[in-house]
Amino acid sequence: MTELDKRRVQEFARSLFGHYTSGLLTLMVDIGHKTGLFEALARGAATSAELAERAALDERYVREWLGAVTTGGLVEYDATSGVFTLPPEHAVCLTGTSSRNLAANSQVLAMLAQRLSRVATCFRTGGGVPYAEFRPDFTDYQDGSWRLLYDGLLIKGFLPAAKGLPERLRAGIRVADVGCGTGHAVNLMAREFPASTFTGYDFSAEAIDRARGEADRMGVPNARFEALDVTTLPAEPKFDLITSFDAIHDQRDPATTLRRIAGALAPNGLYFMLEPRAATKLEANVGNPFAPYLYGMSVLHCMTVSLADGGAGLGTAWGEDKARQMLREAGFTSIEVVAAPGPQNSIYICRKG
Ligand SMILES: C[S@@+](CC[C@H](N)C(=O)[O-])C[C@H]1O[C@@H](n2cnc3c(N)ncnc32)[C@H](O)[C@@H]1O
């Protein structure tokens, strides 16, 4: 039997337990976000009693939560005064309306964990867990974790990645967004570019209802939404721009969707696809700190929803090589890939030539 390197065992055990701790701290962030504790603490340093009163919460729970987030390094504590502080650099990432606020992303763990035993069964039986079984909390999570990103980056960060696109949108073009979810990206574009018309497609009736509701509230008559399985996207009407944001890799039949997108583009049309930044080969993702997140998301959501329908199961980290290959097969002859602002996504600017 091979002699174990005891130090390596010890180090690995420590790092393994560190992963479990990170999971629990993610749930603490979820609680802090849902209860308003971060926002309350961002208003000023406080004892646990003051914070509980400020947030209108039970002090015993607040004190125990403070124990977790203080020892976890999210919050600072002065033992002499009993006062807790949220450093401003942490507050930026946990509160407010900027795209740096990542607090809503923490919902991912509880949402995925609820389906974990269903997914574990699929390891034995094959198949998957359908999209419908992730609703409605998947819809909340997806909306919550992308909303601020769109607010901060869509108009000034993502769209200008395609040269001349903002100008064309300003002049007035026909736009479709495929897999639009709750439609925030569509509604923001419709508000910014009133001369253009926008159609958002998603097969979730619940998400489409929310998208329509927001369009009404925002007063954007140039945005409309339709419940549609985009593998049946018709060739007419034609669009000058089709976008998809994080909405291809988890589809049952992404090859057909990409072909349909190519078929619905007008001459000189542009397909703008935003997808997680990854390499297709596993070995090229080793060392990418976001890669375990992408593969984990894939096992627990993106791959399983695709496999549930006997689909392709591309996986979240399908990566640039595979994406380029599938875009070429769909009929795109010019594919430019640029890094989206932030570390997580790539933008594919595709034309039919
Ligand atoms: C990861 S979410 C992204 C949603 C949205 N683009 C956003 O950024 O918030 C993927 C979306 O694609 C939708 N979707 C998946 N397969 C689809 C299909 N075949 N037809 C229409 N929508 C689909 C899902 O309902 C979901 O809303």
Side-chain angles (χ1 to χ4, degrees):
M1 204 176 119
T2 332
E3 190 71 13
L4 285 182
D5 177 339
K6 288 204 184 86
R7 216 184 63 191
R8 201 169 169 192
V9 171
Q10 223 171 40
E11 277 169 11
F12 178 71
R14 192 170 297 134
S15 119
L16 188 61
F17 216 81
H19 299 318
Y20 302 165
T21 303
S22 298
L24 281 170
L25 282 173
T26 306
L27 297 174
M28 292 300 107
V29 174
D30 193 357
I31 291 206
H33 172 62
K34 283 197 171 79
T35 55
L37 273 164
F38 288 123
E39 298 289 345
L41 192 54
R43 279 162 44 204
T47 63
S48 70
E50 287 162 352
L51 184 63
E53 195 186 335
R54 202 182 285 165
L57 297 169
D58 182 282
E59 192 275 337
R60 181 67 192 99
Y61 277 92
V62 170
R63 188 164 16 114
E64 206 69 357
W65 175 85
L66 281 166
V69 292
T70 300
T71 52
L74 282 71
V75 161
E76 287 173 0
Y77 178 54
D78 176 40
T80 316
S81 57
V83 157
F84 297 88
T85 312
L86 187 62
E89 295 79 8
H90 297 199
V92 168
C93 301
L94 290 166
T95 63
T97 54
S98 96
S99 59
R100 286 188 175 152
N101 180 358
L102 301 173
N105 295 55
S106 62
Q107 298 172 89
V108 69
L109 216 57
M111 186 271 292
L112 295 176
Q114 280 183 51
R115 282 87 185 177
L116 188 133
S117 55
R118 289 274 289 109
V119 174
T121 303
C122 296
F123 275 72
R124 293 204 174 81
T125 59
V129 182
Y131 235 114
E133 287 192 33
F134 284 86
R135 314 266 183 203
D137 40 343
F138 171 81
T139 315
D140 286 336
Y141 152 73
Q142 181 70 27
D143 183 283
S145 55
W146 279 78
R147 171 165 292 274
L148 296 179
L149 210 63
Y150 287 137
D151 285 340
L153 296 176
L154 176 63
I155 306 295
K156 297 214 160 81
F158 294 166
L159 297 177
K163 273 205 189 69
L165 182 57
E167 292 75 8
R168 288 184 71 192
L169 282 160
R170 209 157 285 123
I173 54 174
R174 298 158 296 176
V175 184
D177 183 42
V178 159
C180 66
T182 52
H184 192 52
V186 170
N187 288 328
L188 286 176
M189 290 191 284
R191 186 175 67 188
E192 182 73 17
F193 304 112
S196 288
T197 56
F198 296 85
T199 307
Y201 295 110
D202 201 286
F203 67 3
S204 162
E206 177 218 355
I208 289 292
D209 276 353
R210 285 175 61 163
R212 287 181 180 141
E214 187 186 69
D216 283 348
R217 287 192 301 280
M218 283 173 66
V220 281
N222 54 335
R224 60 180 285 278
F225 294 92
E226 204 176 309
L228 180 82
D229 181 337
V230 292
T231 56
T232 66
L233 184 74
E236 297 290 339
K238 291 278 187 254
F239 296 100
D240 305 295
L241 168 68
I242 298 182
T243 56
S244 66
F245 298 101
D246 195 31
I248 298 299
H249 63 268
D250 62 358
Q251 295 219 357
R252 178 181 55 81
D253 185 358
T256 298
T257 298
L258 292 174
R259 267 200 311 278
R260 293 279 181 160
I261 288 172
L265 277 177
N268 202 25
L270 179 82
Y271 174 39
F272 185 106
M273 179 177 90
L274 184 138
E275 282 291 313
R277 192 182 308 164
T280 302
K281 285 203 165 106
L282 169 60
E283 55 270 35
N285 288 322
V286 174
N288 169 358
F290 289 108
Y293 184 94
L294 295 180
Y295 286 111
M297 252 331 264
S298 193
V299 169
L300 289 163
H301 175 77
C302 304
M303 183 186 71
T304 197
V305 295
S306 174
L307 292 178
D309 277 336
L314 270 184
T316 319
W318 61 316
E320 186 174 326
D321 289 348
K322 182 75 180 165
R324 280 181 180 276
Q325 177 207 322
M326 290 185 69
L327 287 162
R328 274 194 307 272
E329 286 167 2
F332 293 102
T333 52
S334 158
I335 302 157
E336 189 193 342
V337 184
V338 296
Q344 283 120 321
N345 295 297
S346 293
I347 294 170
Y348 297 73
I349 300 155
C350 315
R351 293 186 173 83
K352 286 196 289 182

